[in-house]
Amino acid sequence: MDKRVADLAAAVAGIEDGMTVMIGGFGGAGSPIELIHALIDRFRATGSPRNLTVVNNNAGNGHVGLAALIEAGMVRKLICSFPRSADPVVFTELYLAGKIELELVPQGTLAERIRAGGAGIPAFYTPTSYGTDLAKGKPVEEFEGRPYVRERWLKADAALIKAETADPQGNLTYRAAARNFNPLMCMAAKETIVQASRILPPGGIDPETVVTPGLFVRKIVEVPHPRQEEDLNRAGAVYPLEA
Amino acid sequence: MDKRVADLAAAVAGIEDGMTVMIGGFGGAGSPIELIHALIDRFRATGSPRNLTVVNNNAGNGHVGLAALIEAGMVRKLICSFPRSADPVVFTELYLAGKIELELVPQGTLAERIRAGGAGIPAFYTPTSYGTDLAKGKPVEEFEGRPYVRERWLKADAALIKAETADPQGNLTYRAAARNFNPLMCMAAKETIVQASRILPPGGIDPETVVTPGLFVRKIVEVPHPRQEEDLNRAGAVYPLEA
Amino acid sequence: MDKLSTNQIAWRAAQDIADGAYVNLGIGFPEKVAQYQPPGREAIFHTENGILNFGESPAPGEEDWDLINAGKKAVTLKPGSAFFHHADSFAMVRGGHLDVAILGAYEVAENGDLANWSTGPKGVPAVGGAMDLVHGAKRVAVIMDHVAKDGRPKLVQRCSLPLTGVGCVTRIYTSLAVIDVEGGRFVLREKPPALSFEALQAATGAELLLSGPVADLIAPEL
Amino acid sequence: MDKLSTNQIAWRAAQDIADGAYVNLGIGFPEKVAQYQPPGREAIFHTENGILNFGESPAPGEEDWDLINAGKKAVTLKPGSAFFHHADSFAMVRGGHLDVAILGAYEVAENGDLANWSTGPKGVPAVGGAMDLVHGAKRVAVIMDHVAKDGRPKLVQRCSLPLTGVGCVTRIYTSLAVIDVEGGRFVLREKPPALSFEALQAATGAELLLSGPVADLIAPEL
């Protein structure tokens, strides 16, 4: 069992036009910059993949990572909770021009919908968003006298994930708050693609400390010194990055 | 913030007649023998607590732990997935005599119902048990052409939990497959009571390896050399144990 | 001038947080509350993006951008902290495990409705975790100026802006008052001693009830 | 004698497990399948109680009773294993992340219905994880004797015992045959060469279809 692939290009090779792609991260923490850029590289070389639906908490920042993916014109629709940030100009302009679709989801509902997708739960009830515009058109039901909104699972064709360590079986750990949506997205995608800062030998991760068991992971590529989106944006970086 | 209590008796002092009590463990792994025995001690001294509803995967084994709790006559109803085992004679006799109530729940549904209780999800849909006797009377709905059964959350007044390490804030780790239902039950009970083999100083548990964050835990008591149910049963042990 | 500064509003809100409470502070203004924990009391702060028991900001240049709060500000860890993923984080929120959530607001209605996520159909909508927090924490409090910048009341009979949550707010700390929501009405608890009830009522978009004594709202210079 | 032993049935089922497959083996008889993985192929075994990539039983006296499988038997770990709680474990099951689940059965019907948890209202009912497994794994296979101890067919038109799952079984490995469920019918894939189709049909409670060649069911001595 060895889920390692040769390079970033091989890692993202299976992502096709029209797919739904979950991308880990909350702001810059846990955002798989190198995988995203490899996907843009392919698009610039081949014109594909395009018309992607992307699931992420945010809408990108600056001109790297998710923002660069949007800027390249590869994203048809974004499913997220908070498309505002210090510099979301790329998304904002396209959105206000009607050129990108937005499905706004409360953050906890987004997390739970992704977890439900991974856990085989097609629908669940939550108090979140009851009585608000974001509950419009959704079934409502009372349990023990309190109203709840029914929400559906969210699944993806692929997930791009940033991990701290991996082993060849695909077991993963994360770094600090870079964990966020990453473990959930690993569960909810058909093809979970991971960049890890270090790939350890089998048994290199204590089974007690594995956060994502390998069964949720399809491909791993080692990216020894990953760039951090926040650092890049503070330095004014723009895709493509210098090596 | 210090959730340590003086001893086992203080740990279980809040459990009252008629309460629903979740008890961690799968078979003997992760079963909090010392907390259970402290509860029986109190019952033998005071006649309380009784008429308990207990949630556990099993129905106890031999004459220690959960089996001893049932044998003492403290349990009115059991919610579990697998009340058969090598020696469940205590439960079996009471059940066949109509003296204890059983709610049988598929194991994954039991786990998910407990997690839902902890996560504020009053109901969810699962394919599990569709078309079987265990789905009788439950709402069924189709999603994407497949039928699912609606299940309700499960919560408890108290949970008895066995952990490996704890810190004073209540952060927990477990030991191997003794983890099982324990982290879920921590989430779903009003008063989560933990016996830990070791209590470390604040910061003694790496925040990356915490399995149960302290917010889910109310009381901690150190039990340095906890007994293992399987070991006890293989030795023919019977409650009360010799010290 | 009897109007409390934002720091003083945050200070006042902090006085109601019990020792050992689990607290979530909204992005921006509410984050200030953490600075004013009363001596001898220790609150444990939760952030939606997966940290429990984080502490102050690091010194400039010392930031670790993988260690941030929900507002994407760099934080530090206290001993006994924990990391967890987003579903576990919102299990804490939705499951009722937080003692208090303190949020900002555009409007709060006397029935406890809160509007704090959208100022209308213009621009890019963004909701974050606010809708989850208002239906999860055991106590949902708001801190805000008593009136908007243009002088219009932020405490209203019914919200005119898109709702964040229905009947969720129980206490409001403003620059001019501490107000509880009880039985679908605003009940005044505290006001600055030099501010008349009539003047306060005039700055409030719904009737203020008096139920029991009104304490003096006094905060230290901050 | 052409009837396969239980070891041989387990061996036959093991031949269909691909390299790298994630597999859950039911309690009891199905656990034997792990012993017969073909050389060069590595399956990763999942157990409901929260272990991925466990290995063989330890030597007697070496057991760690916190390291057990769903059948409460002591196991060992392979390099690259992981522990997780029960909700995550059944997320793996229900979420379709297991390639194969292999279970025992009292009865399998030609429509794929499975009865393997209850022999009726007598005694103490116990279901465990079977109802979750049958609706979760990508492929649900059954291994069992072809007929019950009293000679009655276990392959039937409709199950008479309480169901574990509806339309969930896709392949059955018995002591006399390998049978697929396709379009609500049993399709014979393999039988021992010396056993006539007629004799096999006589031991089967529903019609066996022939669709394509029937291979010889031959297992090594085990």
Side-chain angles (χ1 to χ4, degrees):
Chain A
M1 163 101 356
D2 192 342
K3 298 182 175 178
R4 286 175 290 185
V5 296
D7 53 30
L8 287 159
V12 300
I15 298 180
E16 294 169 14
D17 290 1
M19 279 189 168
T20 295
V21 181
M22 292 178 175
I23 303 182
F26 180 91
S31 178
I33 295 289
E34 284 74 11
L35 285 173
I36 298 170
H37 286 190
L39 203 58
I40 307 174
D41 292 346
R42 207 180 101 213
F43 175 74
R44 303 220 316 179
T46 69
S48 180
R50 59 193 307 148
N51 288 324
L52 299 175
T53 295
V54 169
V55 183
N56 183 270
N57 187 64
N58 303 103
N61 211 2
H63 300 274
V64 297
L66 175 54
L69 192 79
I70 295 169
E71 196 163 25
M74 299 165 67
V75 181
R76 185 184 69 75
K77 179 181 176 182
L78 193 65
I79 301 176
C80 79
S81 92
F82 206 80
R84 273 191 225 134
S85 59
D87 180 15
V89 60
V90 167
F91 173 79
T92 302
E93 285 178 5
L94 286 169
Y95 178 76
L96 295 179
K99 290 182 177 164
I100 192 165
E101 198 180 327
L102 172 67
E103 180 180 341
L104 192 71
V105 183
Q107 198 172 128
T109 298
L110 182 63
E112 191 66 13
R113 288 179 62 194
I114 298 168
R115 191 234 170 225
I121 304 288
F124 60 90
Y125 290 87
T126 173
T128 301
S129 91
Y130 170 73
T132 76
D133 292 349
L134 297 190
K136 277 184 184 155
K138 293 178 180 170
V140 168
E141 185 145 342
E142 270 196 20
F143 295 96
E144 289 146 47
R146 208 178 150 191
Y148 294 86
V149 177
R150 193 169 83 190
E151 296 280 358
R152 294 296 312 279
W153 61 13
L154 198 53
K155 302 196 203 193
D157 299 295
L160 303 183
I161 299 299
K162 183 179 188 177
E164 178 67 6
T165 67
D167 67 15
Q169 285 96 339
N171 294 303
L172 306 180
T173 70
Y174 301 88
R175 181 170 185 276
R179 185 181 304 196
N180 55 65
F181 284 90
N182 279 298
L184 307 173
M185 291 176 171
C186 285
M187 297 168 68
K190 281 198 204 92
E191 175 159 288
T192 293
I193 303 160
V194 177
Q195 64 168 78
S197 302
R198 281 179 299 147
I199 299 184
L200 304 170
I205 304 179
D206 180 350
E208 298 282 6
T209 69
V210 168
V211 177
T212 293
L215 148 153
F216 293 122
V217 171
R218 185 74 62 87
K219 291 177 175 176
I220 314 160
V221 59
E222 191 170 52
V223 177
H225 301 288
R227 310 298 292 267
Q228 219 281 359
E229 187 189 284
E230 187 75 26
D231 286 329
L232 290 172
N233 281 324
R234 282 169 186 261
V238 173
Y239 167 89
L241 303 178
E242 289 153 40
Chain B
M1 164 99 357
D2 191 342
K3 298 182 174 176
R4 287 175 288 186
V5 296
D7 53 29
L8 287 159
V12 300
I15 298 180
E16 294 169 13
D17 290 2
M19 280 189 168
T20 295
V21 181
M22 293 178 174
I23 303 182
F26 180 91
S31 178
I33 295 289
E34 284 74 11
L35 285 173
I36 299 170
H37 285 189
L39 204 59
I40 307 174
D41 291 346
R42 207 179 103 214
F43 175 75
R44 303 223 312 181
T46 70
S48 180
R50 59 194 306 148
N51 288 324
L52 300 175
T53 295
V54 169
V55 183
N56 183 270
N57 186 64
N58 304 102
N61 211 4
H63 301 274
V64 297
L66 175 54
L69 192 79
I70 295 168
E71 195 162 27
M74 299 165 68
V75 181
R76 185 185 69 76
K77 178 180 176 181
L78 194 65
I79 301 176
C80 78
S81 92
F82 206 81
R84 273 191 225 134
S85 61
D87 180 14
V89 59
V90 166
F91 173 79
T92 302
E93 286 179 3
L94 286 168
Y95 177 77
L96 295 178
K99 289 182 177 164
I100 192 166
E101 198 180 327
L102 172 66
E103 179 181 341
L104 193 71
V105 183
Q107 197 172 128
T109 297
L110 183 63
E112 192 66 13
R113 288 179 63 193
I114 298 168
R115 191 233 170 226
I121 304 288
F124 60 90
Y125 290 87
T126 174
T128 301
S129 92
Y130 171 73
T132 76
D133 292 350
L134 297 190
K136 276 184 186 155
K138 292 179 180 168
V140 169
E141 185 145 341
E142 270 196 19
F143 295 96
E144 289 147 48
R146 206 176 152 193
Y148 294 86
V149 177
R150 194 169 84 190
E151 296 280 357
R152 296 296 313 279
W153 61 12
L154 198 51
K155 302 196 204 194
D157 299 295
L160 304 182
I161 299 299
K162 182 178 187 176
E164 178 67 6
T165 68
D167 67 15
Q169 284 95 340
N171 294 303
L172 306 179
T173 70
Y174 301 89
R175 181 171 185 276
R179 185 180 305 196
N180 55 65
F181 283 90
N182 278 298
L184 307 174
M185 291 177 171
C186 285
M187 298 169 68
K190 281 198 204 90
E191 175 160 288
T192 293
I193 303 159
V194 177
Q195 64 168 78
S197 301
R198 281 179 301 147
I199 299 183
L200 304 170
I205 304 179
D206 179 350
E208 297 282 7
T209 69
V210 168
V211 177
T212 293
L215 149 152
F216 294 121
V217 170
R218 186 73 63 86
K219 291 177 174 175
I220 315 160
V221 60
E222 191 170 54
V223 177
H225 302 288
R227 310 298 293 266
Q228 218 283 0
E229 186 188 285
E230 186 75 25
D231 285 328
L232 289 173
N233 280 325
R234 283 169 186 261
V238 173
Y239 168 88
L241 303 178
E242 290 153 39
Chain C
M1 173 59 182
D2 281 323
K3 189 173 177 290
L4 268 60
S5 68
T6 54
N7 283 348
Q8 288 175 312
I9 301 170
W11 173 88
R12 177 62 192 84
Q15 307 313 301
D16 286 348
I17 299 176
D19 186 37
Y22 290 95
V23 181
N24 184 295
L25 301 176
I27 294 176
F29 175 22
E31 292 178 44
K32 281 180 183 278
V33 173
Q35 301 167 27
Y36 301 113
Q37 290 181 71
R41 287 196 229 159
E42 181 198 7
I44 297 94
F45 292 102
H46 166 270
T47 181
E48 295 95 301
N49 56 315
I51 316 176
L52 198 64
N53 211 7
F54 65 95
E56 295 177 8
S57 299
E62 303 281 305
E63 297 92 347
D64 174 348
W65 295 111
D66 286 345
L67 197 59
I68 57 176
N69 67 12
K72 279 100 180 175
K73 292 196 188 67
V75 297
T76 54
L77 294 181
K78 293 182 183 172
S81 55
F83 298 121
F84 35 85
H85 62 53
H86 251 84
D88 281 349
S89 183
F90 280 89
M92 296 177 187
V93 171
R94 206 190 300 104
H97 304 284
L98 296 176
D99 295 296
V100 196
I102 300 181
L103 302 168
Y106 300 137
E107 293 175 329
V108 181
E110 61 184 346
N111 59 3
D113 288 1
L114 171 67
N116 81 344
W117 75 280
S118 169
T119 52
K122 277 188 296 183
V124 177
V127 65
M131 286 190 185
D132 305 279
L133 283 163
V134 298
H135 288 300
K138 289 180 188 132
R139 189 163 80 81
V140 176
V142 160
I143 61 173
M144 63 179 191
D145 274 336
H146 199 85
V147 297
K149 279 180 189 148
D150 63 5
R152 280 191 302 182
K154 291 161 71 85
L155 290 153
V156 295
Q157 286 187 302
R158 290 294 175 270
C159 292
S160 61
L161 293 171
L163 292 186
T164 306
V166 171
C168 53
V169 175
T170 54
R171 175 162 273 204
I172 307 114
Y173 305 93
T174 79
S175 43
L176 298 179
V178 175
I179 293 165
D180 284 340
V181 174
E182 284 183 11
R185 305 295 296 275
F186 288 136
V187 178
L188 180 64
R189 295 296 178 207
E190 299 177 21
K191 68 170 185 61
L195 180 71
S196 72
F197 177 80
E198 291 69 25
L200 182 63
Q201 178 65 74
T204 306
E207 191 182 353
L208 291 173
L209 300 194
L210 296 171
S211 162
V214 174
D216 287 343
L217 175 57
I218 301 172
E221 291 299 319
L222 292 168
Chain D
M1 173 58 179
D2 281 320
K3 188 173 175 294
L4 268 60
S5 68
T6 54
N7 284 349
Q8 288 174 310
I9 301 170
W11 173 89
R12 177 62 192 85
Q15 307 312 301
D16 287 346
I17 299 176
D19 187 36
Y22 291 96
V23 181
N24 184 294
L25 301 176
I27 294 177
F29 176 22
E31 292 178 44
K32 280 180 184 279
V33 173
Q35 301 167 27
Y36 300 113
Q37 290 181 72
R41 286 196 231 160
E42 180 199 8
I44 297 94
F45 293 102
H46 166 270
T47 181
E48 295 96 300
N49 56 315
I51 316 176
L52 198 63
N53 210 9
F54 65 93
E56 295 178 7
S57 299
E62 303 283 303
E63 297 93 348
D64 175 348
W65 296 110
D66 286 345
L67 196 59
I68 57 176
N69 66 12
K72 279 100 179 176
K73 292 197 187 66
V75 297
T76 53
L77 294 181
K78 291 183 183 173
S81 56
F83 298 122
F84 35 85
H85 61 52
H86 252 82
D88 281 349
S89 184
F90 280 89
M92 296 178 187
V93 171
R94 206 190 299 104
H97 304 284
L98 296 176
D99 295 296
V100 197
I102 300 180
L103 304 167
Y106 300 137
E107 292 176 329
V108 181
E110 61 184 346
N111 60 3
D113 287 1
L114 171 67
N116 81 345
W117 75 281
S118 170
T119 52
K122 276 189 297 182
V124 177
V127 65
M131 286 190 184
D132 304 280
L133 283 163
V134 297
H135 288 300
K138 290 182 188 128
R139 190 163 79 80
V140 176
V142 159
I143 60 173
M144 62 180 193
D145 273 335
H146 199 85
V147 297
K149 280 180 187 148
D150 64 4
R152 281 191 302 181
K154 290 161 72 85
L155 290 153
V156 294
Q157 287 188 298
R158 291 294 176 270
C159 292
S160 61
L161 292 170
L163 292 186
T164 307
V166 171
C168 53
V169 175
T170 54
R171 176 162 271 205
I172 308 114
Y173 304 93
T174 80
S175 44
L176 297 179
V178 176
I179 292 166
D180 284 340
V181 174
E182 284 183 12
R185 304 294 296 276
F186 287 137
V187 178
L188 181 63
R189 295 294 178 208
E190 299 177 22
K191 68 171 185 59
L195 180 70
S196 72
F197 177 80
E198 291 68 26
L200 182 63
Q201 179 65 72
T204 308
E207 190 183 352
L208 290 173
L209 299 195
L210 296 170
S211 161
V214 174
D216 286 345
L217 175 57
I218 300 173
E221 291 298 320
L222 293 166

